[in-house]
Amino acid sequence: MSDLNARFASSARQARRAGFRKLPPSAAAFVMPLILSILMTCVVSAVATLRNIGLTEGVAGHWLQAWGLSWLIAFPTLLLVLPLVRRIVGLLVQSPAQ
């Protein structure tokens, strides 16, 4: 088992011990863009905010406003664009041998 797979298996065992119930596989189409949009907008808005106003007093408030607005735009955009991106990737990347 690869190191990455071992880490995921370990976190899955910890989640079961903590009583965390996993979502059904059909939720992946919604959860993946949700988490991706949260993480990406967090990083991009932080970089843009720090670049524009620097590390000054009140930067956290400006960043949170920028993050919220960018997430409101990014999440629905990801939901709409992800099927197209998957098709484009399918055209560019060879499918694994089965």
Side-chain angles (χ1 to χ4, degrees):
M1 184 181 295
S2 74
D3 185 45
L4 187 59
N5 288 341
R7 272 191 257 155
F8 282 124
S10 174
S11 63
R13 282 191 297 273
Q14 289 172 350
R16 281 193 297 271
R17 273 189 246 132
F20 177 76
R21 216 172 118 195
K22 285 186 161 186
L23 297 170
S26 60
F30 180 79
V31 173
M32 195 277 297
L34 174 69
I35 293 172
L36 181 62
S37 65
I38 289 171
L39 294 174
M40 289 302 297
T41 56
C42 172
V43 171
V44 171
S45 62
V47 169
T49 302
L50 288 171
R51 181 157 163 66
N52 285 323
I53 66 172
L55 196 55
T56 60
E57 189 174 327
V59 71
H62 289 286
W63 167 67
L64 284 173
Q65 286 180 343
W67 187 14
L69 179 61
S70 63
W71 182 81
L72 283 173
I73 295 166
F75 181 58
T77 302
L78 268 173
L79 290 175
L80 293 172
V81 173
L82 203 52
L84 175 63
V85 171
R86 284 188 179 122
R87 279 194 199 124
I88 293 169
V89 170
L91 293 171
L92 298 174
V93 177
Q94 187 176 17
S95 297
Q98 293 181 357

